[in-house]
Amino acid sequence: MKTIDEYLDEQINEQLCQAVLSGSKGEGPSKAKIRPVEIKGQVIYQVSETVGTKVLHRNYHREELIQYLKEGLQHHFSQLQSSGMTLDGTVLVSKKGKVTIKTRRHPGNAQNQSTSGKDKPAQTGEKKQILAHNRVKQYILKENTPVPFLVDLGVMNKEGRIITQKYDKFRQINRFLEFIQDILPKLDQQKEVTILDFGCGKSYLTFAMYYYLRELKGYDVNIIGLDLKTDVIEKCNGLAVKYGYEKLTFCQGDIASYEGVDRVDMVVTLHACDTATDYALAKAVAWGASVILSVPCCQHELNRQILKERMSALLTDGIRANLLESMGYETQILEFIDMEHTPKNLLIRAVKTGNKRKMDDAAELMNALHIRPTLEKLLYPEGEVHSEN
């Protein structure tokens, strides 16, 4: 009969799919899930411990995980269930400390037996395949690496572990940085880059943008966050001073009337409500911004004029993209965050090329629907788009 050391030595390798510690003895976490993941070409083991309502994530190397499992079964848990590509098993620990191990080898894996008849552990030097769903996404901002503003904003703790309730926010921040990563060639690294963030709110993404561009990529950026809420602006300015972010400032003001700068290289407007998005886009065009990143919200204007929410949102954003193209921008409408988290999940990315497209299709659509969106009025105050038809 196998000992716990023999079983763990055989089971804990890259062929492991998942293991679960359960049967809490009343101390420490109530449950722990383990899975192998690949980070920078190296296989490590991610442990997700459930402690009350929180889930804490830790990464271990193979030998560290084996020690963690042994100590867990000795002090905190009474059961370990594991499944692998070649072997499944269960370890039960009675109240008196008796250990019972049951294993089941998958059919067709007799080649894993040694000539002596004993089970042969998987060779650690052998190249193993980790199941695709077990791979960890390589985020721009890494898990388990503390980032000061994410700690203060409650996204991660001081050890860099992501707070469970904020994991969607962490993914959203990284998704946003991926969009910025794609447009880096459009930003001149040889001069100061001015970025305006309209409707910055609590500024998770504003801080992330500054940290990524200045601290990680070395761009000389001057970022201005604009929002209507005075208390939010005061808090964000305090955090910027705390981190020594000298070229990150926050101002209280309205998108439509803001005149604080003469030239802007990139305009960001995330979840600006209804036509506030249009005013931000029009400002960006007037400044000749090289890049525009916009996640519209609450497209009430066409909702009032024609159909209902989802259809009017798609029409609004499609027309906005076409209007920007008519002003010399190449546009894309991209998924910003999964639909299951928010229906406001589309991002308009516009990069200035100078090649203006005709608005025939969009003009025909607007004429057919008898609508004239705010952005068209701002960009074509004399009605040039409609006059073409």
Side-chain angles (χ1 to χ4, degrees):
M1 181 178 178
K2 288 186 177 70
T3 65
I4 186 67
D5 290 306
E6 291 172 335
Y7 171 72
L8 293 176
D9 186 56
E10 178 182 24
Q11 181 71 299
I12 305 304
N13 54 59
E14 294 93 328
Q15 291 189 345
L16 177 72
C17 295
Q18 179 175 278
V20 179
L21 283 167
S22 60
S24 174
K25 296 179 180 179
E27 299 178 3
S30 59
K31 183 170 65 174
K33 292 184 179 180
I34 301 98
R35 61 179 184 144
V37 298
E38 185 178 318
I39 297 180
K40 294 182 179 179
Q42 182 182 14
V43 176
I44 62 171
Y45 298 85
Q46 185 180 80
V47 176
S48 302
E49 293 181 335
T50 301
V51 181
T53 59
K54 297 182 178 180
V55 178
L56 305 178
H57 302 281
R58 296 175 181 168
N59 292 335
Y60 293 92
H61 293 289
R62 180 176 182 272
E63 293 74 16
E64 295 172 332
L65 177 65
I66 289 175
Q67 186 62 32
Y68 169 86
L69 294 173
K70 289 171 63 176
E71 292 179 358
L73 288 169
Q74 184 177 357
H75 301 292
H76 305 300
F77 301 98
S78 61
Q79 183 170 314
L80 170 67
Q81 289 184 308
S82 56
S83 60
M85 288 185 275
T86 61
L87 182 71
D88 298 336
T90 302
V91 179
L92 300 173
V93 182
S94 70
K95 292 182 179 180
K96 295 183 179 181
K98 180 183 177 182
V99 177
T100 302
I101 301 173
K102 298 180 180 179
T103 61
R104 181 181 70 84
R105 187 167 295 282
H106 294 193
N109 284 292
Q111 66 271 23
N112 289 327
Q113 303 295 325
S114 67
T115 54
S116 63
K118 295 182 179 180
D119 294 334
K120 180 181 179 180
Q123 299 298 313
T124 56
E126 199 176 327
K127 182 66 178 177
K128 303 294 193 303
Q129 178 180 350
I130 297 178
L131 297 181
H133 67 269
N134 276 345
R135 293 184 183 274
V136 166
K137 180 176 176 60
Q138 297 301 297
Y139 291 117
I140 291 175
L141 301 182
K142 308 297 184 184
E143 297 186 56
N144 300 313
T145 300
V147 179
F149 73 86
L150 290 181
V151 174
D152 281 344
L153 293 172
V155 176
M156 60 172 53
N157 64 18
K158 292 180 179 179
E159 289 73 41
R161 296 177 192 139
I162 309 305
I163 305 303
T164 305
Q165 295 86 341
K166 294 292 185 178
Y167 208 90
D168 287 342
K169 178 63 69 175
F170 178 72
R171 292 177 59 243
Q172 182 191 52
I173 290 170
N174 277 282
R175 177 66 169 155
F176 176 65
L177 293 182
E178 289 173 4
F179 289 128
I180 293 180
Q181 186 179 54
D182 290 342
I183 56 85
L184 284 181
K186 300 298 180 180
L187 302 179
D188 189 349
Q189 200 165 9
Q190 305 306 313
K191 67 178 183 67
E192 181 184 77
V193 175
T194 300
I195 300 174
L196 204 57
D197 185 355
F198 283 124
C200 58
K202 293 182 180 179
S203 302
Y204 293 89
L205 301 179
T206 321
F207 280 101
M209 184 163 48
Y210 186 93
Y211 178 81
Y212 174 66
L213 288 172
R214 191 171 182 88
E215 304 294 322
L216 299 185
K217 291 298 182 180
Y219 280 78
D220 180 13
V221 293
N222 175 31
I223 299 182
I224 302 165
L226 185 72
D227 200 89
L228 291 172
K229 298 178 181 178
T230 304
D231 57 335
V232 171
I233 292 300
E234 290 177 354
K235 180 179 180 180
C236 290
N237 273 323
L239 290 175
V241 171
K242 176 181 177 181
Y243 307 139
Y245 292 175
E246 297 177 356
K247 289 192 172 184
L248 175 59
T249 56
F250 297 89
C251 303
Q252 191 274 335
D254 178 72
I255 290 174
S257 60
Y258 182 74
E259 299 291 345
V261 292
D262 298 322
R263 180 190 61 82
V264 176
D265 298 289
M266 183 164 82
V267 170
V268 176
T269 170
L270 306 178
H271 298 126
C273 190
D274 201 14
T275 57
T277 292
D278 298 299
Y279 283 96
L281 295 177
K283 286 277 190 181
V285 171
W287 281 320
S290 299
V291 177
I292 303 170
L293 298 177
S294 174
V295 177
C297 180
C298 307
Q299 294 92 338
H300 295 312
E301 184 180 31
L302 294 198
N303 194 17
R304 288 190 296 267
Q305 294 185 48
I306 46 170
L307 303 172
K308 289 301 178 183
E309 188 174 3
R310 190 60 183 163
M311 179 61 74
S312 61
L314 293 172
L315 284 170
T316 301
D317 294 339
I319 291 171
R320 282 168 172 161
N322 275 273
L323 284 165
L324 290 172
E325 288 176 355
S326 77
M327 302 303 293
Y329 286 82
E330 179 182 334
T331 66
Q332 293 174 288
I333 298 180
L334 306 165
E335 185 179 78
F336 180 39
I337 199 70
D338 294 343
M339 177 70 79
E340 63 186 274
H341 301 302
T342 173
K344 320 297 185 189
N345 72 328
L346 297 181
L347 178 142
I348 301 172
R349 182 167 68 193
V351 176
K352 189 169 185 177
T353 64
N355 299 320
K356 296 183 179 182
R357 287 186 55 187
K358 290 185 177 181
M359 281 290 297
D360 294 345
D361 291 341
E364 184 178 347
L365 174 62
M366 289 186 284
N367 282 330
L369 295 174
H370 303 289
I371 57 175
R372 193 175 182 207
T374 294
L375 184 58
E376 188 214 358
K377 297 175 187 177
L378 293 170
L379 297 180
Y380 295 93
E382 303 301 324
E384 291 93 332
V385 172
H386 284 257
S387 66
E388 290 179 2
N389 294 288

